[in-house]
Amino acid sequence: MKIVETVAEVREQVKAWRQEGLSVGLVPTMGYLHEGHQSLIDRAVAENDRVVVSVFVNPMQFGVGEDLESYPRDMDRDAALCEKAGADLIFHPEPSEMYPQDFSSFVDMSTLTGGLCGKTRPIHFRGVCTVVSKLFNIVTPDRAYFGQKDAQQLAVIRHMVHDLSYGIEIVGCPIIREEDGLAKSSRNTYLNPQERQAALILSQSLAEGKKRLETGEKNADKIRQAIVDQIETEPLAKIDYVEVVDWNNLEPVQTIQGPVLVAIAVYIGKTRLIDNVIQQ
Ligand code: PAF
């Protein structure tokens, strides 16, 4: 497995693979990889001849006062995980390689990005779309892999690929959880032991919502309220949002008819965690 830092080196490698007629999968990440990322890499390895993992903490998707500086980083550990999982290339650029001084073009989406995480992170999806768009242009993969934990991101990327006619298949992969239910996230490392315990309220409250969905509850507000009530039993938790939205357009629903996304963002202490369930 190779680790490269420049766009030119990625292009050269991908060109050589293409000349051999090989397919290419891309797993975009911000590093500090865990079993969630590993499941994406495993799937990419199973479905493509060659796999590129990008490791880049993208400054453009962090707002003022967010955790850009403290975001965990460990390239040696990431490289070992990628190698073991069977990736072929890591693209680990410096910010200046991705955003040279004269950088001035952005990918902005006028639907899907205003609600859920977009409400409190107004510039986040512009940063995500811009960097993912660049990665698509650099790697030109056949397939790209994203986790369902960032469900809004998955929907946004799918829409971007459709709008901008990228001939890339977007593969959404299930949420990977700790044994006790907490969704795997690089940000879980911020939690102290007491907060780690409190963070279980996310998956537990969603399980309550899921149970109601599965037993045929059609009133979205009742499902929402059941989740809110349960989160509010945890003193360390502060709700950012609890939403029941149409999985096709991310618009809030009153009555559940088609596929829905039940998405939550909750602060545990200072750490903002997200989780969700999708009912097709
Ligand atoms: O999901 C992430 O880790 C990031 O948002 C992504 C897709 C790698 C873009 O920086």
Side-chain angles (χ1 to χ4, degrees):
M1 186 191 71
K2 271 197 230 169
I3 303 178
V4 300
E5 294 188 354
T6 66
V7 172
E9 287 167 297
V10 178
R11 285 199 202 284
E12 197 190 340
Q13 179 60 84
V14 172
K15 191 172 166 201
W17 288 337
R18 292 297 186 197
Q19 277 165 354
E20 289 178 64
L22 301 174
S23 63
V24 178
L26 169 66
V27 182
T29 82
M30 297 207 301
Y32 214 72
L33 306 179
H34 50 66
E35 287 87 338
H37 298 110
Q38 174 150 2
S39 73
L40 306 182
I41 302 171
D42 288 345
R43 177 109 181 241
V45 167
E47 295 181 351
N48 301 275
D49 298 315
R50 295 289 180 268
V51 170
V52 180
V53 179
S54 61
V55 175
F56 178 59
V57 182
N58 174 33
M60 200 188 283
Q61 69 189 71
F62 289 79
V64 175
E66 291 188 353
D67 56 344
L68 173 62
E69 300 308 325
S70 58
Y71 197 85
R73 295 159 168 90
D74 188 342
M75 195 53 207
D76 291 344
R77 200 169 137 272
D78 289 348
L81 186 147
C82 288
E83 175 125 55
K84 192 152 173 251
D88 300 279
L89 184 74
I90 294 182
F91 177 41
H92 180 45
E94 288 294 325
S96 57
E97 176 72 6
M98 293 298 272
Y99 306 122
Q101 269 200 345
D102 59 350
F103 188 88
S104 59
S105 304
F106 302 90
V107 180
D108 216 347
M109 192 177 289
S110 56
T111 55
L112 303 182
T113 57
L116 304 175
C117 290
K119 259 194 199 147
T120 46
R121 307 189 73 193
I123 58 124
H124 176 68
F125 289 108
R126 174 167 119 141
V128 170
C129 287
T130 302
V131 80
V132 170
S133 181
K134 275 184 72 88
L135 290 168
F136 285 175
N137 287 327
I138 295 163
V139 179
T140 62
D142 298 282
R143 295 175 198 83
Y145 296 79
F146 295 86
Q148 186 205 299
K149 188 172 83 66
D150 295 294
Q152 185 176 16
Q153 171 172 280
L154 177 59
V156 164
I157 300 293
R158 284 204 167 120
H159 195 69
M160 179 184 85
V161 162
H162 171 77
D163 276 355
L164 301 184
S165 308
Y166 281 105
I168 297 171
E169 184 189 340
I170 300 302
V171 183
C173 300
I175 299 176
I176 304 295
R177 298 180 181 279
E178 304 282 357
E179 264 177 31
D180 60 9
L182 180 66
K184 300 254 183 194
S185 163
S186 306
R187 291 189 168 99
N188 291 348
T189 53
Y190 298 152
L191 303 168
N192 66 32
Q194 206 192 350
E195 291 169 340
R196 170 66 183 76
Q197 186 60 30
L200 291 179
I201 202 66
L202 280 91
S203 54
Q204 285 167 354
S205 62
L206 278 171
E208 180 60 36
K210 186 165 185 259
K211 196 169 82 190
R212 289 180 188 228
L213 276 171
E214 284 170 355
T215 52
E217 178 60 77
K218 298 286 177 221
N219 184 327
D221 226 34
K222 284 194 178 159
I223 292 169
R224 216 192 133 267
Q225 198 55 51
I227 295 171
V228 168
D229 289 346
Q230 192 157 353
I231 296 172
E232 285 180 347
T233 64
E234 173 48 65
L236 293 182
K238 192 172 142 270
I239 293 173
D240 179 0
Y241 66 75
V242 174
E243 299 263 10
V244 182
V245 298
D246 186 324
W247 177 224
N248 294 315
N249 58 20
L250 306 188
E251 291 296 328
V253 293
Q254 304 286 307
T255 307
I256 292 160
Q257 280 158 339
V260 285
L261 165 69
V262 182
I264 65 178
V266 178
Y267 286 92
I268 302 292
K270 287 196 171 119
T271 306
R272 184 176 175 281
L273 299 175
I274 56 172
D275 200 349
N276 67 78
V277 290
I278 295 173
Q279 180 174 267
Q280 293 291 346

